[in-house]
């Protein structure tokens, strides 16, 4: 997947590639030049991922502002278990 245009990738694909880069770098067996290339790609992936999350958050805020009665509440995974 390395080399694919980051802006054309889904958020999940961006995250998957970033996790792969982290694993490669944690093993420490990459030559310096390749490690630098992977680090640079990782930074680009992080920035793009943050931008996609920000856009999603803005969409949620817009949708909620259209329905004034709706409010954001913290997610509680245990709430669904008791039902």
């Amino acid at each position: 997947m390395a080399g694919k245009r980051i802006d054309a990738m889904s958020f999940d694909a961006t995250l998957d590639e970033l996790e792969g880069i982290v694993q490669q770098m944690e093993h420490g067996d990459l030559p310096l030049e390749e490690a630098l290339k992977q680090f640079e790609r990782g930074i680009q992936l992080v920035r793009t991922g943050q931008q996609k999350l920000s856009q999603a958050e803005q969409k949620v805020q817009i949708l909620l502002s259209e329905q004034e009665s709706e409010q954001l509440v913290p997610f509680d995974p245990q709430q669904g278990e008791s039902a």
Side-chain angles (χ1 to χ4, degrees), residues 18-66:
L18 184 59
E19 287 174 350
I21 289 172
V22 169
Q23 289 178 357
Q24 286 180 340
M25 295 189 77
E26 284 179 343
H27 286 108
D29 56 357
L30 292 175
L32 179 60
E33 293 80 17
E34 183 63 24
L36 287 172
K37 285 181 187 177
Q38 292 288 31
F39 180 76
E40 182 178 4
R41 177 115 175 132
I43 294 297
Q44 293 170 344
L45 289 165
V46 166
R47 288 180 180 154
T48 300
Q50 288 174 333
Q51 183 180 28
K52 289 176 189 247
L53 283 175
S54 178
Q55 290 170 350
E57 183 178 8
Q58 289 174 352
K59 285 180 184 179
V60 168
Q61 292 294 338
I62 289 169
L63 291 171
L64 290 178
S65 70
E66 292 172 355

Side-chain angles (χ1 to χ4, degrees), residues 73-83:
V73 295
F75 176 70
D76 182 4
Q78 294 179 351
Q79 184 177 7
E81 294 176 3
S82 62

Side-chain angles (χ1 to χ4, degrees), residues 9-22:
M9 296 170 61
S10 70
F11 177 77
D12 291 331
T14 302
L15 190 59
D16 288 343
E17 185 176 340
L18 184 59
E19 287 174 350
I21 289 172
V22 169

